[in-house]
Amino acid sequence: MRKKVVAGNWKMNLDIEQGKKLVNEILAGMPQLGDEHKVIICPPFIHLQQTAQLTVAANRVYTGAQNCYTEASGAYTGEVSAAMVKSTGALFVILGHSERREYFNETNEMLAKKVNTALENNLQIIFCCGEPLEIRDACTQNQYVEQQIIDGLFHLDAEQLSHVTIAYEPIWAIGTGRTATTEQAQDMHAHIRSVIAGRYGKEVADSTSILYGGSCKPSNAPELFACPDVDGGLIGGASLNAADFHGIINAMVEQ
Ligand code: PEP
């Protein structure tokens, strides 16, 4: 059956010492994880090697990057390739976060290329999708998110898709304190699963983990994670505090 996942996206926060302290606090209080659970810590690039070394001995806790570039190497000042990410010991990469799409103009076409280079380098992918408020207000969120998934992922075969976890993150809920209702989350997750089933079949859709992201906290994680198609969370702000992150991980474990 599909995995339950809690992934922490630190965004552009913490220096090396602060990062080390937080990873050690997270590991020290980690609840008992089962075979069906994964915890992924996604710090900025500069932390990856240290975080991968700290998490390597921890059971079912992994390190991921927040991005990688489309190309393998070359004159792309400031960019980091998938191979470079892999060489740090990180096993995951987040692709298509709405902040990358919005502030760095990442298009679905670029993301399809990033997906390919990540898979070529044996990275597992957390692929983000989600609609802005005006799309939600116009009630066209299902079509909008479906197109992101078609453009970013549907060139993959079923084996390649098995290395992808999807994160649904309504943009209006990210960092705003405004969480999607359980009904909104469940409806979209079920829609995403049906879109995957339409292309890859029910078995593949049923084994694809779909995470919710957007102002998820220890207080709302239990009801969100109880939704049948919500398989965990991608956590921003609350992943920067070990106690809050533990609270959310507990909500996954207690499902
Ligand atoms: C995110 O950035 O992926 C996110 C979900 O942020 P937050 O939890 O802070 O809303």
Side-chain angles (χ1 to χ4, degrees):
M1 241 342 197
R2 57 183 179 258
K3 300 275 185 196
K4 304 264 182 202
V5 181
V6 169
N9 171 15
W10 290 5
K11 311 196 187 193
M12 194 177 73
N13 289 294
L14 308 185
D15 66 21
I16 286 285
E17 280 313 308
Q18 292 166 329
K20 186 176 183 179
K21 183 168 174 278
L22 179 56
V23 174
N24 281 327
E25 284 171 4
I26 290 170
L27 293 177
M30 184 63 66
Q32 185 74 35
L33 301 173
D35 250 2
E36 68 279 31
H37 302 129
K38 277 187 206 167
V39 171
I40 307 165
I41 301 173
C42 301
F45 289 127
I46 61 150
H47 295 268
L48 286 176
Q49 187 169 14
Q50 168 177 274
T51 306
Q53 284 169 358
L54 290 169
T55 55
V56 75
N59 234 356
R60 304 176 179 106
V61 183
Y62 307 95
T63 297
Q66 298 171 17
N67 181 31
C68 68
Y69 196 49
T70 49
E71 307 304 317
S73 65
Y76 303 104
T77 303
E79 292 295 337
V80 174
S81 73
M84 291 171 182
V85 168
K86 191 68 201 288
S87 74
T88 66
L91 297 180
F92 287 80
V93 62
I94 298 173
L95 293 176
H97 191 282
S98 62
E99 288 153 15
R100 300 288 323 167
R101 292 176 187 263
E102 186 180 346
Y103 307 144
F104 302 96
N105 302 317
E106 291 196 1
T107 61
N108 287 341
E109 192 189 357
M110 281 170 72
L111 290 170
K113 284 192 190 167
K114 291 188 178 200
V115 163
N116 292 343
T117 184
L119 291 177
E120 280 158 21
N121 287 283
N122 297 316
L123 289 169
Q124 307 274 324
I125 296 166
I126 300 173
F127 184 84
C128 300
C129 55
E131 79 287 353
L133 189 56
E134 61 271 22
I135 294 289
R136 170 66 59 171
D137 286 344
C139 297
T140 54
Q141 67 273 9
N142 282 9
Q143 297 92 307
Y144 186 93
V145 168
E146 182 168 345
Q147 199 60 51
Q148 289 178 319
I149 289 173
I150 291 170
D151 292 348
L153 296 177
F154 271 20
H155 60 288
L156 302 179
D157 63 29
E159 195 286 324
Q160 290 171 315
L161 192 78
S162 71
H163 302 287
V164 178
T165 295
I166 294 175
Y168 168 60
E169 301 202 301
I171 298 173
W172 44 270
I174 296 180
T176 58
R178 181 182 164 188
T179 318
T181 63
T182 50
E183 195 185 357
Q184 287 170 325
Q186 171 54 28
D187 283 355
M188 180 58 82
H189 283 229
H191 176 61
I192 292 170
R193 205 174 300 288
S194 78
V195 167
I196 295 170
R199 162 78 173 81
Y200 296 96
K202 187 173 177 330
E203 200 178 319
V204 171
D206 283 346
S207 61
T208 302
S209 299
I210 307 176
L211 316 184
Y212 168 80
S215 300
C216 188
K217 326 182 254 285
S219 55
N220 58 26
E223 55 173 1
L224 284 161
F225 295 176
C227 298
D229 286 294
V230 176
D231 306 309
L234 178 54
I235 316 301
S239 72
L240 291 167
N241 176 292
D244 287 347
F245 199 47
H246 290 147
I248 294 168
I249 295 166
N250 271 321
M252 166 179 75
V253 169
E254 284 161 13
Q255 278 307 309

